[in-house]
Amino acid sequence: MNKKIFGVFLSAVFVFILSTATTHAATIFTLPKSAGFNIGQEFTIDLKINAANESVNAAQATVKYPTDILTLLSTDKTGSAFNFWVQEPTVSADNGTLSFIGGTTRGISGESLQVIQMKFKTRGAGVATLSVSDAVVTANDGAEPSSVRKLHTRNSPAKSRKTGNKLY
């Protein structure tokens, strides 16, 4: 029996750009470790924040993934810019979601702030699109809750095409 191979061509893959109408916008994005994945292969994706132009101190989001293509095996907070968690990263395998609320006692800024590392395993072929909802990044400006920037999601799916037994 031929082993099915799942591959993903990453053109701006698993990238989530979250922006606001203000000039200082935080961006949540991911960094995949590989461009192609075999069915059954494990891989990691880092969820990060770009807050180069603004000091932030908290973020929350729900990441949704297709359960027919991916299984989320674990999450890792090692190296996270956040040192406390109001809601620990919580996985719902049935719904294909990962939710979290994290923060830090000091303001942080930078182009690639580590939030969470997600370890996935491919279980089927196809286009795997991760989406983000309920995303909020809080500015570290000492203001009242109005300083919370509600961000809007634009998803970039992983694109694949089939050629023989391999998807590219």
Side-chain angles (χ1 to χ4, degrees):
M1 181 176 185
N2 290 335
K3 181 177 180 183
K4 292 182 182 179
I5 299 177
F6 174 76
V8 178
F9 173 78
L10 302 174
S11 60
V13 177
F14 300 124
V15 176
F16 311 115
I17 299 175
L18 306 173
S19 61
T20 64
T22 64
T23 58
H24 300 289
T27 303
I28 294 179
F29 64 99
T30 60
L31 288 178
K33 299 294 185 190
S34 180
F37 309 106
N38 295 330
I39 291 177
Q41 182 178 352
E42 296 178 6
F43 61 96
T44 59
I45 294 179
D46 292 323
L47 185 68
K48 295 184 173 267
I49 296 175
N50 180 344
N53 298 321
E54 181 171 31
S55 180
V56 299
N57 63 10
Q60 72 179 49
T62 298
V63 178
K64 184 156 180 62
Y65 57 92
T67 58
D68 59 329
I69 299 172
L70 300 174
T71 299
L72 181 54
L73 300 175
S74 64
T75 61
D76 186 356
K77 302 178 301 186
T78 304
S80 179
F82 297 139
N83 58 8
F84 71 86
W85 299 86
V86 177
Q87 176 188 330
E88 289 286 331
T90 305
V91 177
S92 171
D94 292 336
N95 296 326
T97 59
L98 163 69
S99 300
F100 70 90
I101 303 172
T104 181
T105 55
R106 59 181 172 43
I108 53 175
S109 62
E111 293 181 2
S112 187
L113 301 172
Q114 178 71 13
V115 179
I116 297 172
Q117 185 175 79
M118 301 170 285
K119 185 175 185 179
F120 286 97
K121 182 176 183 177
T122 56
R123 61 184 295 177
V127 177
T129 302
L130 301 181
S131 61
V132 176
S133 61
D134 304 321
V136 175
V137 176
T138 305
N140 185 47
D141 58 10
E144 295 298 316
S146 62
S147 67
V148 174
R149 274 44 166 197
K150 179 77 176 183
L151 306 176
H152 307 283
T153 308
R154 186 177 80 212
N155 303 314
S156 297
K159 298 177 182 174
S160 63
R161 66 178 187 270
K162 187 171 182 177
T163 307
N165 288 333
K166 190 164 190 170
L167 294 173
Y168 293 93

